[in-house]
Amino acid sequence: MKKHNPGFEQLCEAARKNVHEVSIQQVKEMMDKGTIPLVLDVREESEFQKDHIPGAKHLGRGVLERDIETIVPDKATPMVLYCGGGYRSALAAESIQKMGYTNVLSMDGGYRGWNEASYPLVKE
């Protein structure tokens, strides 16, 4: 597992206090039941291209705030954000909540947790 820099970890821990986190199991259940209409992968394009959660749309962390309103104009849209392990998605969720999005979840454990649970992935 990648070791992150302390300043980044502090920033992420602060963000996690302001966002709703859900487990990979909860996300899988929501997807199986069809109760989550939007899953956003906020990893880098190269990570998304390698493989991603089925049905996920890509919106990289670097352009998220710039493009989110074009891709998701309804700020009440329920969505789950995920990244590699749950850090970037927490930052992303906090950021778009500040932009007025009201139904945002961050998947704790991210892609790595999903993959470790042997849940399905789509290869491009």
Side-chain angles (χ1 to χ4, degrees):
M1 178 122 144
K2 184 177 177 181
K3 180 78 175 125
H4 294 295
N5 291 310
F8 177 70
E9 285 191 0
Q10 288 174 343
L11 189 66
C12 292
E13 286 308 314
R16 291 171 88 171
K17 292 182 173 100
N18 298 320
V19 300
H20 296 286
E21 289 187 301
V22 288
S23 70
I24 57 170
Q25 292 82 8
Q26 288 171 301
V27 173
K28 178 77 166 70
E29 287 170 19
M30 287 187 273
M31 290 176 75
D32 289 347
K33 291 178 187 166
T35 57
I36 193 74
L38 182 58
V39 177
L40 278 182
D41 185 324
V42 299
R43 298 177 302 157
E44 296 297 316
E45 179 74 30
S46 60
E47 293 173 289
F48 181 79
Q49 298 260 324
K50 182 177 170 247
D51 57 10
H52 53 271
I53 294 174
K57 291 191 180 339
H58 181 255
L59 186 56
R61 176 79 186 95
V63 296
L64 177 75
E65 294 84 355
R66 185 192 74 193
D67 295 349
I68 186 76
E69 290 171 302
T70 302
I71 293 167
V72 188
D74 180 356
K75 293 188 177 186
T77 301
M79 66 181 94
V80 173
L81 277 53
Y82 77 92
C83 60
Y87 286 109
R88 289 175 286 175
S89 61
L91 292 172
E94 181 183 50
S95 185
I96 65 172
Q97 282 177 179
K98 289 177 181 172
M99 293 175 70
Y101 286 85
T102 57
N103 208 342
V104 182
L105 302 170
S106 174
M107 187 170 81
D108 188 24
Y111 164 86
R112 280 191 297 280
W114 185 273
N115 191 29
E116 287 166 9
S118 298
Y119 290 156
L121 290 166
V122 175
K123 298 203 184 291
E124 285 290 301

